[in-house]
Amino acid sequence: MNGQAQIGVTGLAVMGRNLARNLARNGFVVAVHNRSPERTRRLVAEHGEEGRFVPTDSLADLVAALERPRAVITMVKAGAPTDAVIDELVPLLDAGDIVVDCGNAHFADTRRREEALRKQGLHFVGTGVSGGEEGALWGPSIMPGGSAESYQKLGPIFEQIAAQVDGEPCCRHIGPDGAGHFVKMVHNGIEYADMQLIAEAYDLLRVGLDATPAELAEIFQEWNSGELESYLIEITAEVLGHTDPSTGQAFVDIVLDQAEQKGTGRWTVQNALDLGVPITGIAEATFARSLSGHADQRAAIRRAFAGTGPTWQVEERADFIEDVRRALLASKIVAYAQGFDHIRAGSQEYDWDIDLGGTATIWRGGCIIRAHFLDQIRQAYDDQPDLPTLLVAPWFADAVRAGLSGWRRVVAEAAQAGVPTPAFASSLSYFDALRANRLPAALIQGLRDNFGAHTYRRIDRDGSFHTLWAGDRSEVEA
């Protein structure tokens, strides 16, 4: 080993393998390692012509193959397996070397690891990577955290292999320690909401129109040519238009209706609760996945309430489709607005100074939630960095205003027909709560003061107060 490789990759399952190929194809010399040497040999045998790989049989050999400062990407399962690789790797490294975790780690773990390695003179860079298998191979959205110094080495590499949109790489330094994995976590939370909203739109159209999946595929395909243009809308049309080869049925009809999850949506909701950020649409999407998996409860309810399923007869087909389209757009705007609120709150809590417009920029290509209106999000935050909510930016406010009546009709008619729309409905309630002149929170504060002397504030003077509910009901200053 002569230190010729510019970067190393350990962990050659699908994502690691594709990322290594992407690096090599873009002209970088890549040292590769896997716990199973056979996987390393197979990568080089099958794809060695794509670029320069340096196969290694151990982490020691991997480190020896790297130029200084060394940079090693780990692509292993989050949690204990990542810690195990780091523990084995760190003694082999020298001050100034860089360990890059491109897995879906919890940002709190990344902060812990970054602090521990920093004390040893090493850089730890938690890096969010979005785009799935194809993105890793052809150009993902990359969200590196860690030190600014580490980005001097990694930036030119990551920016070269990332997706490119309008001549800009979908990669930028997000911020210190866990900022990269935090932004990736919220990205996944938005992804949960986006998929749930699309699924609800599909369900509404299918029940309301009594339409086939193939017919709905055409609707989503048409939607993808307008304001809703996005990767997820595009592949929705693809999935709905697919026929199961073994049965001849629509593919979507032979898939078990129990959605799974790997935890990032749940992490997003848990952290938002800690930060006090109301990401209601993302939360409902996460709970909807959980509910879908409760097969026994669902079966029991169907038995207990037999004959009370959805009944719906849409009379104006074109108007209904347009109402659902506008409701979907408005609800998606709420999901992104809540996600960016969450990133801002995390940035403030952990002192990361994250550029919100820049974050929108790197999500425009490669990633799962890439969408036409990310350009509008970038512009909104560029025009007003302290924007209180994306919902008041002109383009988004106009879209919500134009779709509001249809949004209300869809949610109301779905409720009447018994079609569940948890994300549509919660997004509308969120919007209505923000625009209300006065919320019933005043009553909640009164109740809290009554049973627990938790105090309240008044609208007519400063300070906190308590009413002597068990006494003469006079008011005292707290």
Side-chain angles (χ1 to χ4, degrees):
M1 301 295 175
N2 58 6
Q4 62 177 319
Q6 293 155 287
I7 194 162
V9 178
T10 180
L12 300 177
V14 174
M15 286 293 289
R17 175 188 178 98
N18 283 2
L19 196 62
R21 291 174 58 194
N22 188 351
L23 288 160
R25 199 178 58 252
N26 276 280
F28 299 104
V29 182
V30 188
V32 289
H33 165 265
N34 194 76
R35 185 174 57 180
S36 165
E38 173 57 32
R39 187 168 278 177
T40 307
R41 289 191 288 269
R42 190 163 63 246
L43 167 63
V44 176
E46 294 176 359
H47 303 288
E49 79 285 351
E50 294 180 351
R52 294 182 61 191
F53 295 101
V54 180
T56 64
D57 291 333
S58 68
L59 283 179
D61 288 345
L62 178 74
V63 170
L66 297 170
E67 66 180 23
R68 296 171 185 265
R70 306 178 184 98
V72 181
I73 294 174
T74 68
M75 287 292 282
V76 298
K77 189 176 180 180
T82 297
D83 282 324
V85 170
I86 293 170
D87 289 345
E88 186 179 352
L89 187 59
V90 164
L92 305 171
L93 301 176
D94 296 318
D97 288 346
I98 306 166
V99 178
V100 187
D101 177 12
C102 285
N104 260 339
H106 193 292
F107 81 95
D109 287 337
T110 301
R111 300 191 80 203
R112 167 178 58 80
R113 292 164 183 152
E114 192 276 336
E115 181 181 14
L117 268 64
R118 179 164 23 95
K119 290 177 180 177
Q120 300 178 61
L122 301 171
H123 298 279
F124 185 78
V125 181
T127 301
V129 178
S130 176
E133 299 175 20
E134 289 298 304
L137 181 59
W138 299 109
S141 173
I142 307 178
M143 297 153 258
S147 66
E149 183 182 350
S150 66
Y151 196 73
Q152 293 176 3
K153 163 85 174 180
L154 297 172
I157 298 174
F158 283 164
E159 290 175 15
Q160 179 68 26
I161 70 168
Q164 310 288 317
V165 176
D166 297 333
E168 293 182 83
C170 293
C171 170
R172 66 167 52 205
H173 183 227
I174 299 297
D177 57 76
H181 273 146
F182 181 89
V183 165
K184 176 56 163 55
M185 176 190 75
V186 178
H187 163 287
N188 285 21
I190 295 172
E191 181 183 306
Y192 273 51
D194 208 342
M195 284 194 282
Q196 176 65 27
L197 290 166
I198 289 171
E200 290 179 18
Y202 150 76
D203 201 28
L204 287 163
L205 292 171
R206 185 152 196 195
V207 176
L209 302 176
D210 193 25
T212 67
E215 291 170 333
L216 298 181
E218 294 180 4
I219 292 173
F220 277 93
Q221 194 169 29
E222 182 180 346
W223 284 356
N224 198 47
S225 64
E227 295 168 311
L228 285 170
E229 180 190 346
S230 67
Y231 173 70
L232 284 171
I233 294 289
E234 175 188 338
I235 65 171
T236 296
E238 183 179 337
V239 171
L240 290 176
H242 181 55
T243 300
D244 174 50
S246 63
T247 64
Q249 292 182 263
F251 170 76
V252 74
D253 287 341
I254 59 92
V255 176
L256 185 67
D257 62 338
Q258 297 179 23
E260 298 178 1
Q261 54 186 306
K262 291 187 175 180
T264 47
R266 185 168 61 249
W267 293 346
T268 307
V269 176
Q270 289 168 339
N271 179 257
L273 288 170
D274 290 339
L275 296 177
V277 183
I279 56 167
T280 54
I282 295 171
E284 285 293 351
T286 306
F287 286 129
R289 290 199 190 189
S290 298
L291 186 149
S292 74
H294 286 255
D296 292 345
Q297 286 185 330
R298 293 173 60 194
I301 289 291
R302 286 196 300 272
R303 289 192 299 270
F305 295 90
T308 59
T311 55
W312 204 347
Q313 184 65 47
V314 170
E315 296 180 0
E316 298 295 336
R317 177 186 174 92
D319 290 345
F320 179 68
I321 292 172
E322 179 61 9
D323 279 352
V324 175
R325 186 193 71 81
R326 288 180 180 273
L328 177 56
L329 178 61
S331 298
K332 281 164 70 79
I333 289 170
V334 168
Y336 281 76
Q338 291 179 352
F340 277 88
D341 288 348
H342 191 179
I343 292 172
R344 187 201 302 275
S347 180
Q348 293 170 346
E349 176 71 15
Y350 306 113
D351 196 23
W352 285 331
D353 194 27
I354 296 174
D355 181 345
L356 298 181
T359 300
T361 298
I362 66 173
W363 286 351
R364 295 182 304 156
C367 79
I368 303 301
I369 64 170
R370 59 185 184 268
H372 171 73
F373 66 39
L374 281 162
D375 277 321
Q376 301 294 340
I377 295 177
R378 178 179 66 167
Q379 190 62 53
Y381 284 112
D382 284 351
D383 291 345
Q384 189 179 346
D386 60 348
L387 192 68
T389 169
L390 199 59
L391 289 164
V392 299
W395 190 91
F396 298 97
D398 288 345
V400 170
R401 199 175 289 114
L404 189 56
S405 58
W407 195 7
R408 294 196 190 285
R409 280 193 295 271
V410 163
V411 171
E413 290 173 12
Q416 288 287 342
V419 177
T421 56
F424 270 40
S426 80
S427 299
L428 179 58
S429 290
Y430 172 84
F431 169 76
D432 281 335
L434 287 179
R435 65 184 289 275
N437 288 327
R438 188 162 169 79
L439 291 170
L443 176 58
I444 292 172
Q445 284 301 94
L447 296 172
R448 293 178 72 243
D449 187 62
N450 185 297
F451 70 69
H454 293 297
T455 76
Y456 52 87
R457 287 173 295 155
R458 298 177 58 95
I459 63 172
D460 54 358
R461 59 182 184 269
D462 293 336
S464 295
F465 301 89
H466 168 57
T467 292
L468 302 176
W469 298 100
D472 62 2
R473 300 201 175 185
S474 60
E475 182 179 79
V476 297
E477 192 164 359

